[in-house]
Amino acid sequence: MKAGVPALETRQLVYAVDGKVILKGIDLRVEYGEVVGIMGASGSGKTTLLKCLCGLLKPTSGEVWVEGVNIAPLSERERMPLRLRLGIVFQDAALFDYLTVYENVAFGVERHRKLSREQVRQIVRERLAWVGLEGVEHLYPSQLSGGMRKRVGLARALAMDPHIVLFDEPTSGLDPVNAYQVDRLIVRLNRELNLTAVVVSHDVVSLMRTCSRIVMIEAGQIIAEGTPETIRQLEHPQVRAFLRMASSETLDDVPWLGYNIGQEAQV
Ligand SMILES: Nc1ncnc2c1ncn2[C@@H]1O[C@H](COP(=O)(O)OP(=O)(O)OP(=O)(O)O)[C@@H](O)[C@H]1O
Ligand SMILES: [Mg+2]
């Protein structure tokens, strides 16, 4: 972490595939300590943006700065060490079905951090405790609920001690109670570990309660950004239409969890 250097930044990021331009010049800046939401309809380019941010996809043009390094011109091999510095929690949790919860969380740590077996054990236990999952180390992903799988995916990302975690649809497929738990967890990790987070989602309620800033993308372009409060009040017709369509809840009644999370003893 260097003073004045953002956690993440894209400059005129373009991504095209098969002659189709998916990201059309994205300028995004994420400061350390922020929880930034990327909101947009299905197919707007959210996952593609996330994949460019973490080096899984190479941009067609433009720059992608991760902790002060432009990863856009780097080869797959050169991007690898930088990718390991970012935590990524995929939409479907992407756990290894043939490994236990313990083995899933230990997987990257054992390969990429030079630690003793006991140190690995400690890290795995601690990260699982952070996400509220104790006593399930021996279970397989198929024996867990969707919410639990998402939290294992998060524990696995946290095991590498990232400063920044990227979440793709952390609440999709979860019932409201589990979704709320995952949201609280994101805010708590931000508050307690100063974790910087980028949350990609079309779940407006979830973004309103977790994010310090929301960026809306439509057809590969940023069309609006601001605090949840600002976004709620924008007169921008596409933003209004999206908020109306995306949620049946009255968004004014959705409090930002950051206000009270410090006072809560446990997730
Ligand atoms: N490898 C690819 N080849 C061709 N088209 C692609 C590829 N990856 C993504 N796209 C297209 O790019 C657009 C954006 O996809 P992306 O997955 O980024 O959207 P999204 O906002 O994450 O959507 P969702 O909310 O459904 O997850 C879509 O139209 C998709 O079909
Ligand atoms: Mg997606």
Side-chain angles (χ1 to χ4, degrees):
M1 247 181 271
K2 273 184 258 156
V5 174
L8 297 169
E9 187 174 12
T10 68
R11 295 185 193 153
Q12 283 303 301
L13 166 62
V14 172
Y15 183 78
V17 64
D18 297 339
K20 188 174 156 196
V21 187
I22 296 168
L23 300 177
K24 300 170 185 163
I26 300 271
D27 288 312
L28 176 74
R29 191 178 158 112
V30 178
E31 304 294 344
Y32 283 105
E34 279 194 295
V35 180
V36 172
I38 312 286
M39 172 173 95
S42 196
S44 55
K46 304 183 297 298
T47 298
T48 308
L49 174 58
L50 208 72
K51 286 182 175 168
C52 288
L53 284 175
C54 69
L56 278 172
L57 290 177
K58 193 177 168 73
T60 306
S61 64
E63 300 170 10
V64 177
W65 293 81
V66 177
E67 303 204 285
V69 178
N70 180 15
I71 65 168
L74 304 182
S75 67
E76 170 88 32
R77 201 189 156 101
E78 291 167 325
R79 290 200 301 271
M80 189 61 175
L82 287 153
R83 192 185 304 165
L84 290 173
R85 281 165 48 185
L86 294 177
I88 309 164
V89 182
F90 292 100
Q91 191 156 354
D92 55 358
L95 301 177
F96 298 113
D97 290 336
Y98 56 92
L99 297 181
T100 63
V101 166
Y102 182 93
E103 291 161 346
N104 263 286
V105 178
F107 189 84
V109 188
E110 282 169 345
R111 270 155 195 77
H112 299 291
R113 295 179 67 180
K114 294 186 177 62
L115 299 171
S116 70
R117 186 183 283 250
E118 189 44 42
Q119 285 170 314
V120 172
R121 194 186 303 276
Q122 256 185 18
I123 288 178
V124 175
R125 292 245 165 87
E126 187 183 70
R127 300 309 187 269
L128 283 169
W130 284 357
V131 301
L133 284 180
E134 282 139 319
V136 299
E137 284 97 335
H138 58 289
L139 296 180
Y140 286 87
S142 62
Q143 296 170 298
L144 305 176
S145 71
M148 289 164 94
R149 278 200 288 275
K150 296 245 189 207
R151 285 186 280 154
V152 174
L154 178 53
R156 183 175 61 182
L158 293 173
M160 299 294 283
D161 281 342
H163 299 141
I164 308 164
V165 176
L166 311 180
F167 294 86
D168 197 358
E169 304 284 355
T171 57
S172 72
L174 301 185
D175 64 61
V177 174
N178 270 293
Y180 184 71
Q181 276 196 350
V182 168
D183 285 345
R184 282 214 310 186
L185 194 52
I186 294 170
V187 175
R188 247 194 89 195
L189 292 168
N190 169 254
R191 286 286 146 132
E192 292 177 6
L193 304 176
N194 200 29
L195 196 77
T196 305
V198 177
V199 184
V200 156
S201 183
H202 51 237
D203 181 344
V204 176
V205 171
S206 167
L207 291 177
M208 291 278 170
R209 51 186 188 205
T210 53
C211 296
S212 46
R213 189 155 60 90
I214 295 175
V215 174
M216 172 147 184
I217 69 170
E218 192 176 273
Q221 283 176 309
I222 294 181
I223 60 161
E225 67 177 285
T227 61
E229 201 49 45
T230 313
I231 292 285
R232 257 197 286 260
Q233 289 166 6
L234 273 186
E235 292 298 332
H236 195 299
Q238 281 128 298
V239 176
R240 293 243 60 82
F242 182 77
L243 295 183
R244 248 195 333 269
M245 303 261 288
S247 177
S248 54
E249 295 182 46
T250 310
L251 293 170
D252 291 342
D253 297 338
V254 180
W256 180 49
L257 284 171
Y259 290 129
N260 60 9
I261 208 85
Q263 290 140 31
E264 295 183 20
Q266 259 203 309
V267 171

